[in-house]
Amino acid sequence: MIADSDRGARYTPAVPILAVIARRWCVAVLGLALVGCAAKPLAQPSWPAPSDPMKLSRDAGFEPTDREFLTTHTHAHLDVFVDGERVQVPAGIGIDVAAPKGIAATKTPDGTGMDYQVSVCDAPCLSELHTHTPDGIVHTESSKIDVEPHTLGQFFIEWGLRLDDSCVGDYCKPDTTVDVYLDGKKHDGNPAEIKLTPHLEVAIVIGKPPAFIPDSWSFALGQ
């Protein structure tokens, strides 16, 4: 007989203990998966000036010279960040620093880098697009009048690094976020096509951004 107190009671089947364990295990695995999906810190790159600067200068479309010409003389500035850490733009991009004559190499004032200045070399030793110091200033020095600004893509060819609308060096979308800013404003488009106009500030941000996106550079008087 069914007791009156049990009449109309809704039957609830027992949940097998193994199902409960399985459900809790799945939740735990999901939690671990979410932790595993969190962005891992990016490895900081080693991007020195390349050892074949004159070949790369020609690859970028320039004809190297044996001295500096300043008929056109302009400067832009490049910052590169990887996970908020500044990556040094090295001195000597576009300069044959190993030339036996015509290159004066001195320490920077802080003693951490080199400053390469060019007088007259025995052979072509200088691209008209180059860096003298490791501060990110990109120099255009040409014998021609009113030279059309060169591109960031040409500079990266001289640096020996990939640059296009997907990748900077070995860092590529969608695995890594890559953003480019011009004078502090986000740029959409292929960064290789950016023209290095006078006093332009270019900031390439790979992965986590820095606390501050630079929007200008304090060029020295006359630069």
Side-chain angles (χ1 to χ4, degrees), residues 60-215:
F62 302 111
E63 187 57 43
T65 62
D66 65 352
R67 69 194 70 189
E68 291 181 313
F69 293 96
L70 304 178
T71 305
T72 293
H73 190 193
T74 62
H75 307 88
H77 187 263
L78 173 63
D79 280 300
V80 181
F81 299 94
V82 172
D83 265 356
E85 298 291 328
R86 190 184 299 273
V87 177
Q88 186 179 82
V89 179
I93 294 174
I95 300 176
D96 182 4
V97 300
K101 178 183 176 182
I103 306 295
T106 58
K107 286 280 189 181
T108 54
D110 63 5
T112 63
M114 299 301 294
D115 180 350
Y116 298 105
Q117 297 297 322
V118 181
S119 54
V120 180
C121 300
D122 289 334
C125 61
L126 179 70
S127 167
E128 63 184 64
L129 186 67
H130 55 263
T131 59
H132 289 289
T133 49
D135 52 9
I137 296 178
V138 181
H139 299 247
T140 293
E141 299 171 3
S142 175
S143 62
K144 301 174 184 177
I145 299 174
D146 298 328
V147 170
E148 182 73 13
H150 303 311
T151 66
L152 189 63
Q154 288 175 291
F155 181 72
F156 268 75
I157 290 172
E158 292 191 319
W159 198 354
L161 298 175
R162 177 178 176 180
L163 179 71
D164 53 38
D165 53 5
S166 297
C167 298
V168 178
D170 295 329
Y171 302 100
C172 294
K173 303 174 184 177
D175 296 332
T176 306
T177 58
V178 177
D179 293 313
V180 178
Y181 296 83
L182 303 182
D183 294 336
K185 298 179 180 179
K186 193 170 181 179
H187 172 77
D188 294 319
N190 188 343
E193 298 174 357
I194 293 171
K195 293 186 176 182
L196 297 172
T197 53
H199 289 189
L200 178 68
E201 164 63 33
V202 181
I204 297 176
V205 178
I206 301 165
K208 183 178 67 176
F212 172 74
I213 303 293
D215 58 9

Side-chain angles (χ1 to χ4, degrees), residues 14-40:
V15 178
I17 187 65
L18 290 177
V20 173
I21 294 173
R23 187 179 301 129
R24 291 176 179 172
W25 181 84
C26 288
V27 170
V29 169
L30 178 60
L32 290 173
L34 290 174
V35 171
C37 290
K40 295 180 180 179

